[in-house]
């Protein structure tokens, strides 16, 4: 086994051939080739046509929905070719079909029209007036005992469902709609209701859909959607042990808390966090690969005359290698979170969900930093969506916000870690300070000791801030602790990422791959330790000699990685057929200029571009 293959195995795990390889092959095929000359509206149409190609390629849609590793793998690879496709696929397979399959089946509620994509699914939860406060949503579903059904209604404009993909683009659609179940005048909590929205003739009676303006990133048909006393059959209610209507219309539930019923109803949002993180990873890995390859072909002035590749300069390659190390860390942390979720017992579910939320925030925020760095290192070329990075960067903003904004997710995690009296990390060993400073700073256990120490510092600060605040108002006390508590979550996430990197290194038997993974871990850890070196010195976890040696040790790690940069991005396993769509990833400067530009002709005394040959077929010729 060569080094690149061993690194790929460390990044993608034992199920690479089963979970990732099918998507890699699929997304190199004709229907998924570029969209250079398409308008935003045409790109929306193409995304739905591509969704049908994905659906046809899947042996079992039900398996895709229930195999979280396979589902998140699809998001990683779909993002590389079409961020909009990744979004609508996640909505259809995870939020819509996943919600249907996670609840009790019903003989009158066949999945066939959804698994064959005769109808596309949407997920309607967030309202215009209720985003992260979705538990307070106001759409109602009143049980009508005489008709043995429900009346779905939007009581005022603020209760409109905000921003689902409910337009007529993509064909007939249905949705699972989150609404307050009202039985005999009493609210029973928020549940999901299967609701048809449109058919081949248009939007159905009682349903109002209005398109929202363009947003940044890949175009998706986001809409405002409302309901005017829409009647639904009895089997529209998605039921489980968290809530059922029994004979006569009486309500039963094993949960006495309406908020817990709501969270159980929308449980697929947790898997959605993993899917959004996967989208960020797919874009980040592609961007790093593009930027590193470009830095090896783009030439600039050398210090002794002539020209050298951009990558020859430490000021350039140190930044790219830094984000490359972060991307490795984010990838293996995601693998850890996915495995924890799919293997957790019912008793461990809350802790697994806690990890998923922390990982989602850290991965998507780190991806933003990675993408910004890659964009800047590619200069003006990075500004063109045709070169990929700008598109990934803008689309990553959706991942930061979707399935719960990162900041509220982390605030919830912070509250659990501080207010929930979770145990602080174990104290570091005093013996870690022994030995020469430069040697210690290359020791993986010592580096993890320091990352753990940073976590402990912020844990103590958050608890101290809470304890010394005399404000009787709970909000005032939380405000005093929330910022150090958020630092605690960030430190916890980076420590877990470091752990995951060392686990990946321990899991490979290939000596060179192991060495490179340890070097990446060193670079990743030292960059974060440097930020907190003052705190670590003050707390006695670092000596003055350690702090003095740290920049040189960090620089040496960069120098050791420079010759291996192309192999390290090669381990991302992005097929050449995908990378060749991005001119800066493979072409010479002259060829790029020709590829980027369209010829011009005079039209009534002015100049206008003539459509060049596009790599993407027109929407009408992409067979669904």
């Amino acid at each position: 086994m060569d080094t690149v293959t061993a690194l790929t195995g460390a990044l993608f795990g034992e199920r690479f051939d089963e979970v990732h390889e099918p998507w890699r092959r699929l997304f190199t095929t004709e229907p998924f080739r570029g969209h250079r000359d398409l308008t935003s509206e045409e790109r929306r149409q193409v995304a739905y046509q591509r969704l049908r190609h994905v659906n046809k390629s899947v042996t079992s849609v039900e398996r895709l929905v229930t195999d979280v590793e396979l589902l998140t793998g699809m998001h990683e690879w779909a993002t590389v070719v079409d961020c909009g496709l990744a979004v609508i696929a996640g909505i259809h397979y995870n939020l819509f079909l996943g919600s249907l399959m996670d609840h009790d089946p019903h003989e009158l509620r066949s999945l066939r029209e959804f698994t064959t994509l005769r109808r596309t699914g949407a997920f309607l939860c967030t309202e215009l007036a209720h985003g992260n406060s979705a538990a307070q949503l106001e759409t109602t579903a009143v049980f009508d005992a005489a008709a043995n059904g429900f009346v779905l209604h939007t009581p005022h404009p603020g209760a409109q469902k905000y921003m689902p993909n409910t337009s007529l683009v993509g064909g007939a659609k249905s949705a699972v709609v989150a609404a307050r179940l009202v039985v005999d005048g009493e609210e029973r909590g928020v549940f999901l209701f299967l609701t048809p929205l449109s058919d081949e003739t248009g939007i159905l009676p009682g349903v109002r859909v209005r398109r929202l303006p363009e947003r940044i990133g890949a175009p998706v048909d986001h809409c405002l959607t409302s309901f005017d006393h829409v009647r639904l059959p009895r089997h529209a209610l998605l039921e489980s042990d968290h809530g059922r209507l029994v004979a006569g219309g009486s309500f039963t539930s094993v949960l006495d808390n309406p908020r817990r019923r709501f969270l159980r109803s929308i449980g697929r949002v947790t898997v959605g966090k993993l899917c959004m993180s996967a989208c960020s990873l797919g874009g980040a890995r592609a961007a790093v690969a593009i930027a590193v390859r470009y830095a090896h072909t783009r030439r600039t002035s050398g210090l002794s005359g002539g020209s050298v590749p951009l990558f020859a300069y430490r000021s350039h390659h140190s930044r790219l290698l830094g984000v490359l190390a972060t991307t490795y860390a984010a990838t293996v942390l995601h693998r850890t979170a996915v495995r924890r979720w799919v293997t957790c017992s019912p008793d461990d579910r809350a802790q697994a969900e806690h990890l998923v939320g922390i990982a989602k925030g850290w991965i998507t925020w780190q991806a933003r930093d990675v993408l910004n760095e890659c964009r800047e290192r590619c200069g003006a070329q990075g500004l063109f969506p045709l070169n990929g990075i700008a598109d990934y960067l803008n689309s990553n903003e959706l991942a930061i916000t979707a399935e719960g904004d990162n900041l509220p997710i982390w605030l919830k995690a912070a509250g659990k870690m501080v207010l929930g009296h979770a145990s602080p990390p174990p104290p570091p060993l005093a013996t870690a300070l022994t030995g020469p400073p430069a040697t210690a700073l290359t020791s993986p256990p010592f580096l993890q000791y320091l990352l753990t120490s940073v976590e402990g510092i912020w844990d103590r600060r958050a608890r101290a801030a809470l304890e010394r605040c005399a404000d009787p108002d709970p909000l005032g006390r939380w405000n005093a602790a929330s910022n150090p508590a958020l630092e605690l979550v960030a430190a916890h996430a980076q420590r877990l990422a470091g752990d995951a990197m060392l686990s990946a290194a321990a899991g490979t038997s290939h000596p060179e791959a192991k060495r490179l993974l340890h070097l990446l871990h060193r670079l990743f850890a030292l960059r974060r330790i440097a930020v907190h070196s003052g705190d670590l010195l003050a707390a006695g976890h670092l000596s003055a000699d350690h702090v003095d040696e740290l920049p040189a040790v960090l620089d040496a790690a960069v120098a050791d990685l420079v010759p291996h940069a192309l192999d390290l991005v090669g381990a991302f396993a992005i097929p050449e057929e995908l990378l060749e769509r991005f001119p800066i990833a493979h072409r010479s400067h002259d060829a790029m200029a020709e590829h980027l530009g369209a010829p011009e002709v005079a039209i009534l005394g002015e100049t206008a571009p003539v459509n060049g040959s596009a790599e993407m077929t027109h929407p009408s010729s992409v067979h669904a």
Side-chain angles (χ1 to χ4, degrees):
M1 180 188 299
D2 63 22
T3 302
V4 173
T5 302
L7 288 168
T8 299
L11 278 173
F12 292 94
E14 296 177 352
R15 295 185 67 196
F16 178 82
D17 289 341
E18 179 185 1
V19 168
H20 296 279
E21 184 59 28
W23 303 123
R24 290 178 71 248
R25 290 198 309 268
L26 175 67
F27 292 129
T28 61
T29 59
E30 180 65 31
F32 301 96
R33 294 188 179 163
H35 43 63
R36 178 185 177 187
D37 292 338
L38 301 185
T39 65
S40 292
E41 189 60 28
E42 289 169 338
R43 288 180 66 183
R44 292 186 189 95
Q45 296 169 12
V46 167
Y48 282 99
Q49 292 166 3
R50 287 172 167 173
L51 180 64
R52 284 168 169 75
H53 284 287
V54 169
N55 206 67
K56 288 179 180 178
S57 77
V58 174
T59 304
S60 168
V61 171
E62 291 83 355
R63 176 175 171 252
L64 172 61
V65 172
T66 56
D67 186 337
V68 176
E69 289 183 279
L70 188 63
L71 185 63
T72 55
M74 179 195 69
H75 285 77
E76 291 183 47
W77 295 102
T79 299
V80 178
V81 297
D82 188 338
C83 299
L85 166 64
V87 171
I88 62 173
I91 293 168
H92 178 76
Y93 292 117
N94 177 54
L95 295 175
F96 178 77
L97 272 173
S99 295
L100 288 174
M101 293 174 64
D102 284 355
H103 288 77
D104 293 344
H106 195 287
E107 60 183 5
L108 297 178
R109 196 170 62 224
S110 171
L111 300 181
R112 179 69 179 166
E113 60 184 346
F114 308 122
T115 59
T116 59
L117 269 179
R118 290 200 299 270
R119 300 184 70 83
T120 304
F123 185 80
L124 278 61
C125 183
T126 302
E127 295 179 351
L128 191 57
H130 301 290
N132 291 296
S133 60
Q136 299 175 340
L137 60 80
E138 297 176 82
T139 300
T140 58
V142 179
F143 181 61
D144 183 344
N148 194 31
F150 304 92
V151 179
L152 184 67
H153 184 62
T154 303
H156 61 81
Q160 295 176 93
K161 295 300 182 181
Y162 178 77
M163 46 186 268
N165 55 319
T166 50
S167 80
L168 294 175
V169 177
K173 293 179 182 175
S174 291
V176 287
V177 180
R180 293 191 172 278
L181 172 62
V182 180
V183 181
D184 293 332
E186 185 175 356
E187 287 190 9
R188 295 296 188 173
V190 175
F191 291 84
L192 298 179
F193 294 82
L194 178 60
T195 305
L197 302 175
S198 57
D199 59 18
E200 63 279 359
T201 66
I203 302 297
L204 296 176
V207 180
R208 187 187 186 199
V209 175
R210 289 187 295 161
R211 287 281 285 271
L212 288 167
E214 289 282 327
R215 63 158 174 82
I216 62 171
V220 174
D221 55 317
H222 296 298
C223 301
L224 282 173
T225 307
S226 58
F227 305 95
D228 184 8
H229 297 94
V230 174
R231 289 202 164 267
L232 300 175
R234 170 67 184 77
H235 60 268
L237 172 64
L238 304 193
E239 299 173 287
S240 179
D241 59 2
H242 71 291
R244 289 190 179 93
L245 286 182
V246 296
S250 60
F251 178 82
T252 65
S253 175
V254 298
L255 303 176
D256 57 3
N257 185 317
R259 177 171 176 79
R260 291 176 64 196
R261 295 171 194 160
F262 165 69
L263 294 176
R264 183 74 67 83
S265 293
I266 64 164
R268 268 284 162 161
V269 168
T270 300
V271 178
K273 291 180 173 68
L274 293 170
C275 293
M276 290 297 99
S277 305
C279 289
S280 293
L281 287 174
R285 287 199 301 267
V288 172
I290 293 166
V292 168
R293 288 164 65 113
Y294 179 57
H296 279 81
T297 58
R298 173 75 180 206
R299 302 187 71 82
T300 189
S301 299
L303 296 183
S304 303
S307 66
V308 296
L310 277 175
F311 203 76
Y313 281 98
R314 181 62 48 87
S315 56
H316 196 93
H317 64 233
S318 63
R319 287 162 171 78
L320 287 180
L321 288 169
V323 295
L324 191 154
T326 297
T327 304
Y328 266 72
T331 298
V332 293
L333 176 61
H334 188 262
R335 305 284 177 248
T336 300
V338 170
R339 284 194 300 271
R340 179 71 179 276
W341 178 253
V342 300
T343 60
C344 72
S345 66
D347 291 339
D348 189 43
R349 184 182 175 94
Q351 280 299 111
E353 187 172 354
H354 176 71
L355 171 60
V356 168
I358 291 174
K360 187 261 185 181
W362 191 80
I363 291 167
T364 57
W365 268 329
Q366 292 299 309
R368 174 195 276 165
D369 292 342
V370 168
L371 291 163
N372 268 316
E373 189 67 64
C374 291
R375 204 295 305 157
E376 189 174 345
R377 298 285 65 75
C378 292
Q381 295 284 3
L383 296 172
F384 289 91
L386 178 65
N387 283 322
I389 298 173
D391 212 14
Y392 298 143
L393 177 59
N394 285 329
S395 294
N396 187 67
E397 294 301 304
L398 179 66
I400 288 171
T401 298
E403 321 302 16
D405 281 294
N406 283 357
L407 185 59
I409 289 173
W410 270 26
L411 285 167
K412 179 181 177 181
K416 181 172 183 175
M417 296 176 75
V418 178
L419 300 175
H421 308 291
S423 298
L429 298 174
T431 55
L433 283 172
T434 62
T439 302
L441 289 172
T442 62
S443 165
F446 183 51
L447 296 176
Q448 282 305 112
Y449 152 85
L450 293 174
L451 293 178
T452 303
S453 298
V454 172
E455 185 177 347
I457 288 168
W458 286 108
D459 181 270
R460 290 189 293 276
R461 285 174 174 169
R463 293 171 189 272
L466 194 64
E467 290 170 3
R468 67 173 170 260
C469 181
D471 194 330
D473 181 9
L475 177 59
R477 295 186 70 224
W478 177 239
N479 280 341
S482 59
N483 282 330
L486 286 169
E487 293 288 347
L488 165 62
V489 178
H492 181 65
Q494 69 187 18
R495 193 259 294 173
L496 292 177
D499 285 339
M501 293 185 82
L502 292 184
S503 294
T508 181
S509 59
H510 192 284
E512 180 63 2
K514 188 184 294 289
R515 187 183 75 86
L516 291 173
L517 288 168
H518 278 135
L519 276 172
L520 288 168
H521 171 265
R522 186 183 308 167
L523 179 57
F524 169 81
L526 287 173
R527 291 176 78 225
R528 282 144 185 87
I529 290 164
V531 175
H532 299 282
S533 58
D535 290 337
L536 292 165
L537 177 64
H541 301 304
L542 280 178
S543 68
D545 286 341
H546 284 116
V547 176
D548 190 50
E549 288 281 349
L550 198 153
V553 177
L554 199 158
D555 202 58
V558 169
D560 284 346
L561 287 166
V562 167
H564 308 283
L566 288 173
D567 281 348
L568 290 168
V569 297
F572 293 158
I574 303 172
E576 283 297 320
E577 297 95 324
L578 296 185
L579 287 173
E580 71 181 8
R581 302 172 189 184
F582 309 115
I584 62 173
H586 69 103
R587 288 182 168 86
S588 69
H589 184 260
D590 291 341
M592 280 190 291
E594 182 177 349
H595 192 75
L596 284 168
E600 295 188 346
V601 296
I603 300 179
L604 298 179
E606 299 179 355
T607 59
V610 175
N611 287 336
S613 59
E615 294 184 9
M616 172 64 200
T617 54
H618 192 273
S620 62
S621 63
V622 178
H623 303 292

